Amino acid sequence: MAQWTSAVGAAQLARLLTPQQNRPAGPGTRRPPAYRALADGVRLLVLEGRVPVAARLPAERELALALSVSRTTVAAAYEALRTEGFLESRRGAGSWTAVPAGNPLPARGLEPLPPEALGSMIDLGCAALPAPEPWLTRAVQGALEELPPYAHTHGDYPAGLPALRAMIAERYTARGIATMPEQIMVTTGAMGAIDAICHLFAGRGERIAVESPSYANILQLMREAGARLVPVAMAEGLSGWDLDRWRQVLREAAPRLAYVVADFHNPTGALADDDQRRRLVDAARSAGTVLVADETMSELWLDEDLDRATMPRPVCGFDPAGSTVITVGSASKAFWAGMRIGWVRAAPDVIRSLVAARAYADLGTPVLEQLAVNWLFSTGGWEQAVELRRGQARENRDALVAAVRRELPGWEFAVPRGGLTLWVRAGGLSGSRLAEVGERVGVRVPSGPRFGVDGAFEGYVRLPFTVGGAVADEAATRLAAAAHLVATGVTTGTEAPRTFVA
């Protein structure tokens, strides 16, 4: 019986490997032999989760043809992977990916490190900050005071607590978009919201247009739902969307859904202006595409001249009835990732369909957390907590930018006006190799390809605004050490991370 559970075709593996093979050489880089480069490329794909463990690899002859290399090169690469524990083979069953004994299985998303690992590792993988106290404690205490009446019910509210749905609708109305509670469904975070939307609108094999790059965890969610992702390149720098490309993709590919982050895009930090939002909504409406607007970062403006009055109009403001735009919001980025409360704003019939489908998913969102968010919204605590969050993110952003510019002057980036992430071109180095070596020197950073489709953005890494002060300085120092090892071709070894106490 074969030990593999999935398969990777030769053409697909070649596409995933090509960005690594074609990356520009850094100064002083020693080119490894072709078989070693191929083995390293496959190993990185497995370590990053972009090729699953227990995936059957193509036959040597097929992969050699797809890569335009000799079969001897592929055979030597496979043998190296078997020696290192990243490949297993059996006559008649082929070869399949593996991980060496004692290695953790690769993560498919950007999961945070466990707390016990934080003493020796600086975690730049997860774009999330600690809770803005004392507001978390106050919110939970307020929720407990409101809980007794709900404790006498069954506790299942598939659409969300009526009080919270009304409060969210009221907040949209206050922003100039008239909204009824019937247009709101409360979800288990933004991920739960988008998962429900994808299952309702985009069955297996349906096309979904996505920004390129885009949020890694959402891309993986869509892949695992069986969607066919259609990437649409972002405009250069922080200027938002390339509307000519969007119109072309919507017209020619006719995707069922399109997913966008207009407010401080993750990972680039771009902020789409009013005209871009209006034109994209018009293009989606003309193409019959449902536009999913993720506004989880919309309140995280960091520059002093930005506020609610000067921010662009919400995307749903150009489609107030919700016939084209479905909006997703969340407490997780603006408040705390541990507060798993999200919401959907859409036309009432869409909300009814989402609620009906929920009976086969998670039934509903935890009552106590909904009460906590409702307490924050109704008391003004939300505004004070988010202002605290902005101040912390602003200080971290400025410290991280200064540290990276000092330690890695050849790295290129534009400083975003808000959000939680910095999108960095890593001076011609491989983002995948930087991520791998960074783990060994004590800094965890996600590589660019996690945010693309089919291996794009090999030359990038994403740095979140989660550390500041001395920790930001140390993070940049460790990144510089990783960059030196990658640039000089030293990508194997056992460099021990140093323990760092802030």
Side-chain angles (χ1 to χ4, degrees):
M1 178 179 176
Q3 302 298 306
W4 49 272
T5 58
S6 62
V8 181
Q12 179 187 4
L13 186 56
R15 285 197 305 273
L16 292 169
L17 288 165
T18 297
Q20 296 184 36
Q21 296 174 325
N22 292 343
R23 73 186 190 279
T29 300
R30 297 196 303 267
R31 289 287 187 185
Y35 86 90
R36 183 69 261 174
L38 176 55
D40 286 347
V42 173
R43 176 170 52 84
L44 282 170
L45 292 174
V46 173
L47 288 171
E48 288 208 324
R50 291 189 283 137
V51 168
V53 174
R56 186 180 187 275
L57 294 187
E60 294 171 3
R61 189 184 303 276
E62 293 175 2
L63 186 57
L65 184 62
L67 291 173
S68 299
V69 300
S70 71
R71 183 176 176 181
T72 302
T73 296
V74 177
Y78 278 16
E79 181 58 32
L81 289 167
R82 276 189 288 269
T83 301
E84 296 161 7
F86 286 94
L87 196 69
E88 296 181 9
S89 303
R90 196 173 69 211
R91 186 178 298 275
S95 300
W96 56 91
T97 55
V99 292
N103 277 40
L105 287 175
R108 301 301 301 273
L110 301 178
E111 294 82 359
L113 282 175
E116 61 268 19
L118 296 178
S120 59
M121 185 74 70
I122 298 177
D123 186 8
L124 298 181
C126 186
L129 290 163
E133 289 286 33
W135 296 106
L136 175 62
T137 299
R138 291 181 184 177
V140 173
Q141 291 170 341
L144 287 171
E145 293 176 1
E146 298 293 330
L147 182 61
Y150 294 93
H152 295 291
T153 74
H154 50 62
D156 287 336
Y157 296 88
L161 295 183
L164 181 55
R165 295 176 73 196
M167 181 60 66
I168 294 170
E170 182 180 314
R171 290 174 64 84
Y172 277 107
T173 300
R175 294 167 66 185
I177 303 106
T179 304
M180 304 178 293
E182 291 79 9
Q183 291 177 263
I184 302 296
M185 181 177 83
V186 181
T187 63
T188 307
M191 290 288 288
I194 294 170
D195 182 57
I197 293 165
C198 288
H199 278 89
L200 180 63
F201 284 96
R204 185 166 293 276
E206 291 276 7
R207 294 185 181 92
I208 301 179
V210 295
E211 296 150 325
S212 184
S214 187
Y215 179 35
N217 287 339
I218 293 296
L219 294 181
Q220 190 59 37
L221 180 155
M222 292 174 175
R223 290 188 189 103
E224 294 185 358
R228 297 163 61 189
L229 300 184
V230 183
V232 186
M234 297 287 290
E236 287 296 317
L238 298 176
S239 54
W241 300 318
D242 184 328
L243 267 300
D244 290 336
R245 290 180 179 175
W246 269 106
R247 278 194 297 268
Q248 180 181 0
V249 166
L250 294 177
R251 182 177 62 251
E252 296 178 359
R256 185 71 181 91
L257 284 180
Y259 168 77
V260 296
V261 185
D263 301 287
F264 310 120
H265 175 260
N266 186 356
T268 68
L271 178 65
D273 61 31
D274 280 326
D275 184 59
Q276 289 175 318
R277 297 173 191 229
R278 179 185 297 105
R279 291 165 62 196
L280 183 56
V281 171
D282 289 344
R285 184 183 294 113
S286 298
T289 297
V290 175
L291 187 63
V292 181
D294 181 337
E295 60 173 30
T296 53
M297 298 277 196
S298 65
E299 296 190 62
L300 290 176
W301 56 81
L302 304 182
D303 284 0
E304 298 290 353
D305 62 331
L306 286 178
D307 56 26
R308 176 60 71 197
T310 57
M311 281 286 291
R313 186 172 175 78
V315 177
C316 62
F318 301 99
D319 178 51
S323 59
T324 296
V325 177
I326 298 178
T327 302
V328 172
S330 171
S332 298
K333 292 297 185 186
F335 185 75
W336 184 47
M339 188 67 77
R340 303 304 305 157
I341 298 294
W343 52 86
V344 177
R345 181 198 181 274
D349 62 314
V350 172
I351 295 297
R352 287 193 295 270
S353 296
L354 289 170
V355 171
R358 195 171 194 180
Y360 308 101
D362 62 357
L363 294 177
T365 305
V367 170
L368 188 63
E369 292 186 29
Q370 291 188 73
L371 290 172
V373 172
N374 192 59
W375 183 91
L376 288 166
F377 284 158
S378 61
T379 62
W382 176 268
E383 282 69 26
Q384 296 182 67
V386 174
E387 183 58 36
L388 183 66
R389 168 69 77 238
R390 290 190 200 105
Q392 186 180 12
R394 183 183 304 115
E395 291 179 4
N396 288 355
R397 178 194 65 177
D398 296 346
L400 186 64
V401 165
V404 173
R405 282 177 171 164
R406 181 179 63 251
E407 299 293 335
L408 293 150
W411 287 19
E412 302 171 53
F413 53 86
V415 181
R417 305 189 70 194
L420 290 172
T421 59
L422 194 66
W423 184 237
V424 182
R425 184 182 283 113
L429 301 178
S430 162
S432 298
R433 285 172 168 76
L434 283 167
E436 182 195 16
V437 176
E439 294 258 1
R440 298 205 307 271
V441 300
V443 59
R444 182 173 182 256
V445 56
S447 66
R450 286 182 175 270
F451 304 89
V453 177
D454 283 341
F457 307 109
E458 182 60 52
Y460 288 79
V461 293
R462 188 195 73 170
L463 306 179
F465 311 144
T466 52
V467 297
V471 186
D473 291 338
E474 179 68 12
T477 299
R478 295 185 186 187
L479 280 172
H484 174 73
L485 291 173
V486 173
T488 55
V490 184
T491 56
T492 59
T494 55
E495 296 83 358
R498 295 171 287 170
T499 299
F500 180 76
V501 179

